[in-house]
Coordinates of all heavy atoms in Angstrom, one line a residue:
P17 N -17.8 17.4 -8.8 CA -16.9 18.5 -9.3 C -16.5 18.5 -10.8 O -16.5 19.4 -11.4 CB -15.7 18.5 -8.4 CG -16.1 17.9 -7.1 CD -17.3 16.9 -7.5
M18 N -16.3 17.3 -11.3 CA -16.0 17.1 -12.7 C -17.2 17.6 -13.6 O -17.0 18.2 -14.7 CB -15.5 15.7 -13.0 CG -14.1 15.5 -12.5 SD -12.8 16.5 -13.3 CE -12.8 15.8 -14.9
S19 N -18.3 17.3 -13.1 CA -19.5 17.8 -14.0 C -19.7 19.2 -14.0 O -20.1 19.9 -15.0 CB -20.8 17.0 -13.4 OG -20.7 15.6 -13.6
Q20 N -19.4 19.8 -12.8 CA -19.5 21.3 -12.7 C -18.3 21.9 -13.5 O -18.5 22.9 -14.2 CB -19.2 21.6 -11.2 CG -20.3 21.2 -10.2 CD -20.1 21.8 -8.9 OE1 -19.9 23.1 -8.8 NE2 -20.3 21.0 -7.9
F21 N -17.1 21.2 -13.6 CA -15.9 21.7 -14.4 C -16.4 21.7 -15.9 O -16.1 22.8 -16.6 CB -14.8 20.8 -14.1 CG -13.5 21.4 -14.3 CD1 -12.4 20.8 -13.8 CD2 -13.3 22.6 -14.9 CE1 -11.1 21.4 -13.8 CE2 -12.0 23.2 -15.1 CZ -11.0 22.6 -14.5
S22 N -17.0 20.7 -16.2 CA -17.4 20.5 -17.7 C -18.4 21.6 -18.0 O -18.3 22.1 -19.2 CB -17.9 19.1 -17.9 OG -18.4 19.0 -19.3
L23 N -19.3 21.7 -17.2 CA -20.3 22.9 -17.4 C -19.7 24.2 -17.6 O -20.1 25.0 -18.6 CB -21.3 22.8 -16.3 CG -22.5 21.9 -16.2 CD1 -23.3 22.0 -14.8 CD2 -23.6 22.1 -17.3
A24 N -18.9 24.6 -16.7 CA -18.2 25.9 -16.7 C -17.4 26.0 -18.0 O -17.4 27.1 -18.6 CB -17.3 25.9 -15.5
V25 N -16.6 25.0 -18.4 CA -15.7 25.2 -19.5 C -16.7 25.3 -20.8 O -16.3 26.1 -21.7 CB -14.7 24.0 -19.7 CG1 -14.0 24.0 -21.1 CG2 -13.7 24.1 -18.5
T26 N -17.7 24.4 -20.8 CA -18.6 24.7 -22.1 C -19.2 25.9 -22.1 O -19.3 26.6 -23.2 CB -19.7 23.5 -21.9 OG1 -19.1 22.3 -21.9 CG2 -20.7 23.7 -23.1
A27 N -19.7 26.6 -21.1 CA -20.2 28.0 -21.0 C -19.1 29.0 -21.4 O -19.6 30.1 -22.1 CB -20.7 28.2 -19.6
L28 N -17.9 28.7 -21.1 CA -16.8 29.7 -21.5 C -16.8 29.7 -23.1 O -16.2 30.7 -23.7 CB -15.5 29.1 -21.1 CG -15.1 29.8 -19.6 CD1 -13.7 29.3 -19.2 CD2 -15.1 31.4 -19.7
Q29 N -17.3 28.8 -23.8 CA -17.3 28.6 -25.2 C -17.8 30.0 -25.9 O -17.5 30.4 -26.9 CB -18.0 27.5 -25.8 CG -17.7 27.3 -27.2 CD -18.7 27.9 -28.1 OE1 -19.8 28.3 -27.6 NE2 -18.5 27.9 -29.5
H30 N -18.6 30.8 -25.0 CA -19.2 32.1 -25.5 C -18.0 33.0 -25.8 O -18.2 33.9 -26.6 CB -20.0 32.6 -24.4 CG -20.7 33.8 -24.7 ND1 -20.3 35.1 -24.4 CD2 -21.9 34.0 -25.5 CE1 -21.0 35.9 -24.9 NE2 -22.0 35.4 -25.5
E31 N -16.9 32.8 -25.1 CA -15.7 33.6 -25.3 C -14.7 33.3 -26.4 O -13.7 33.9 -26.5 CB -14.9 33.6 -24.0 CG -15.8 34.0 -22.7 CD -16.5 35.4 -22.8 OE1 -16.0 36.3 -23.1 OE2 -17.8 35.4 -22.6
S32 N -15.1 32.2 -27.1 CA -14.0 31.7 -28.0 C -13.6 32.6 -29.3 O -14.5 33.1 -29.9 CB -14.5 30.3 -28.7 OG -13.7 29.9 -29.6
S33 N -12.4 33.0 -29.3 CA -11.9 33.7 -30.4 C -12.0 33.0 -31.6 O -12.3 33.6 -32.7 CB -10.4 34.2 -30.1 OG -10.3 35.0 -28.9
F34 N -11.6 31.6 -31.6 CA -11.7 30.8 -32.8 C -13.1 30.7 -33.4 O -13.4 31.0 -34.7 CB -11.2 29.5 -32.6 CG -11.2 28.6 -33.8 CD1 -10.4 28.7 -34.9 CD2 -12.3 27.7 -33.9 CE1 -10.6 27.9 -36.0 CE2 -12.3 26.8 -35.0 CZ -11.5 27.0 -35.9
A35 N -14.2 30.6 -32.5 CA -15.4 30.4 -33.1 C -16.0 31.6 -33.8 O -16.6 31.6 -34.8 CB -16.4 30.0 -31.9
K36 N -15.6 32.8 -33.0 CA -16.0 34.1 -33.6 C -15.3 34.4 -35.0 O -15.9 34.9 -35.8 CB -15.8 35.2 -32.6 CG -16.6 35.1 -31.4 CD -16.1 36.1 -30.4 CE -17.1 35.9 -29.0 NZ -16.5 36.7 -27.9
A37 N -14.0 34.0 -34.9 CA -13.2 34.3 -36.1 C -13.7 33.4 -37.3 O -13.7 33.7 -38.5 CB -11.7 34.2 -35.9
Y38 N -13.9 32.1 -37.0 CA -14.4 31.2 -37.9 C -15.7 31.7 -38.6 O -15.8 31.6 -39.8 CB -14.6 29.9 -37.4 CG -15.0 28.8 -38.5 CD1 -13.9 28.2 -39.1 CD2 -16.3 28.4 -38.7 CE1 -14.3 27.2 -40.1 CE2 -16.6 27.5 -39.7 CZ -15.6 26.9 -40.4 OH -15.9 26.0 -41.4
Q39 N -16.6 32.3 -37.8 CA -18.0 32.8 -38.4 C -17.6 34.0 -39.3 O -18.5 34.3 -40.3 CB -18.8 33.1 -37.2 CG -19.3 31.9 -36.5 CD -20.2 31.1 -37.4 OE1 -21.1 31.5 -38.1 NE2 -19.9 29.8 -37.1
N40 N -16.5 34.8 -39.1 CA -16.2 35.9 -40.0 C -15.5 35.4 -41.2 O -15.0 36.4 -42.0 CB -15.3 36.8 -39.2 CG -16.3 37.5 -38.1 OD1 -17.5 37.7 -38.3 ND2 -15.6 37.9 -37.0
G41 N -15.2 34.0 -41.3 CA -14.5 33.7 -42.6 C -13.2 33.7 -42.7 O -12.6 34.1 -43.8
I42 N -12.4 33.3 -41.6 CA -10.9 33.5 -41.7 C -10.3 32.4 -42.5 O -10.9 31.4 -42.8 CB -10.3 33.4 -40.3 CG1 -10.7 32.1 -39.6 CG2 -10.6 34.6 -39.4 CD1 -9.9 31.8 -38.3
S43 N -9.1 32.6 -43.0 CA -8.4 31.6 -43.7 C -7.9 30.5 -43.0 O -7.6 30.7 -41.8 CB -7.2 32.3 -44.4 OG -6.3 31.2 -44.9
K44 N -7.9 29.4 -43.5 CA -7.4 28.2 -42.8 C -6.0 28.4 -42.2 O -5.7 27.9 -41.2 CB -7.4 26.9 -43.7 CG -8.6 26.3 -44.1 CD -8.4 25.1 -44.9 CE -9.8 24.3 -45.2 NZ -9.5 23.1 -45.9
A45 N -5.1 29.2 -42.9 CA -3.7 29.4 -42.5 C -3.8 30.2 -41.1 O -2.8 30.3 -40.4 CB -3.0 30.2 -43.5
E46 N -4.9 30.8 -40.8 CA -5.0 31.6 -39.6 C -5.6 30.9 -38.5 O -5.8 31.4 -37.4 CB -5.9 32.9 -39.8 CG -5.3 33.8 -40.8 CD -6.1 35.0 -41.0 OE1 -7.1 35.0 -42.0 OE2 -6.0 36.0 -40.3

């Protein structure tokens, strides 16, 4: 189950607000 858990959370990275915002060049303060 822990391996499944890790897989699922890694896949959720597709939804990351931070990853998308970082690619758009947000300020460090944000």
Side-chain angles (χ1 to χ4, degrees):
M18 286 297 287
S19 298
Q20 297 188 47
F21 208 165
S22 178
L23 278 171
V25 173
T26 300
L28 272 177
Q29 193 268 343
H30 183 263
E31 310 300 310
S32 173
S33 298
F34 175 78
K36 293 170 184 175
Y38 186 83
Q39 290 300 315
N40 290 330
I42 58 169
S43 164
K44 286 184 178 180
E46 297 178 274

